[in-house]
Amino acid sequence: MNSRKVVFLFFSTMLVGAFGGALVGTVLYDPLFAEGGFWNFIFGFIWLLGVGAAVSAVAQMGYFAYLLLNRLALSLFKTKRLWNRVQLFLIAFVFFDLFYFRYLAYATEDETIWGYLLTPTLLLIFAAVVAYFKQRETHRGAFISAFFFMYVITTIEWVPALIVPEVNDSSWLWIYLAPLLFANTYQLMMHHRLQRN
């Protein structure tokens, strides 16, 4: 992939993340748009575009870090089969951590652990669906890598929002996650298309 395509991927990913995050934020963040009329809505939407662009920049760093990690791991583990098993183990480990440690940190006495399973499960399903389409458009061996990227790397990128108690169980948790999902999905699905051209 040449530098022109890398620049295109960078800016287009930022736009996708910014607009995706702003749309989700507009739906979820009622106080920003409830009062103040039309101009309040416009300035609020522009502000959410900025938040989405900043978060999508984090997603891009995560994507290129994963590309490097994938190459290093393939040379370290010698076989792709072993690296795939390690990735599956890490997916299971992150799934467990994502609900169990949030439950330990934030659960009140009347909450059960089952309520904390919803978000990791939805994210797991989303990651599997994206990985399936990536596999369909490329090759069979792409599924686990795409699944790992969409679940584990997205979760790592999401950690700054997850560790803030005020953000937990609020719309901000989803406002931070939405640009990551939009940007990571876009990058994953565009990369092979750009390489073909």
Side-chain angles (χ1 to χ4, degrees):
M1 197 156 61
N2 60 33
S3 58
R4 185 179 57 82
K5 291 178 181 178
V6 171
V7 170
F8 169 78
L9 185 63
F10 176 81
F11 285 108
S12 60
T13 301
M14 189 167 282
L15 281 173
V16 167
F19 277 99
L23 289 174
V24 171
T26 302
V27 172
L28 294 179
Y29 197 48
D30 294 330
L32 187 66
F33 304 109
E35 300 169 1
F38 176 75
W39 287 110
N40 186 58
F41 175 82
I42 294 298
F43 287 126
F45 190 78
I46 291 169
W47 180 69
L48 286 171
L49 281 173
V51 170
V55 174
S56 70
V58 173
Q60 292 183 66
M61 286 188 287
Y63 184 64
F64 287 103
Y66 175 69
L67 292 176
L68 179 63
L69 170 71
N70 194 44
R71 283 287 151 214
L72 290 172
L74 286 170
S75 64
L76 177 69
F77 291 112
K78 302 295 183 197
T79 65
K80 188 168 183 175
R81 188 177 204 180
L82 180 57
W83 171 227
N84 283 343
R85 288 178 180 171
V86 169
Q87 288 181 100
L88 288 172
F89 169 77
L90 290 172
I91 290 167
F93 182 76
V94 169
F95 177 78
F96 175 78
D97 285 357
L98 194 53
F99 77 85
Y100 185 69
F101 287 119
R102 284 188 67 235
Y103 170 74
L104 290 180
Y106 301 120
T108 58
E109 288 182 14
D110 59 330
E111 289 181 311
T112 66
I113 199 166
W114 301 111
Y116 285 84
L117 268 171
L118 180 64
T119 301
T121 304
L122 290 175
L123 185 57
L124 192 75
I125 292 167
F126 182 83
V129 169
V130 172
Y132 168 75
F133 283 106
K134 175 73 174 182
Q135 171 192 304
R136 257 180 66 176
E137 290 192 19
T138 55
H139 56 86
R140 211 173 141 199
F143 180 83
I144 293 175
S145 293
F147 191 22
F148 178 87
F149 170 72
M150 285 303 300
Y151 194 74
V152 175
I153 303 299
T154 300
T155 301
I156 291 170
E157 295 162 351
W158 197 27
V159 163
L162 293 172
I163 61 174
V164 178
E166 292 79 20
V167 171
N168 182 59
D169 246 1
S170 74
S171 57
W172 276 105
L173 205 59
W174 298 101
I175 291 170
Y176 285 136
L177 180 61
L180 292 174
L181 292 178
F182 277 101
N184 284 340
T185 302
Y186 176 78
Q187 290 177 109
L188 197 63
M189 299 307 290
M190 276 301 290
H191 193 160
H192 62 272
R193 294 173 188 171
L194 287 173
Q195 284 182 319
R196 286 174 186 162
N197 295 334

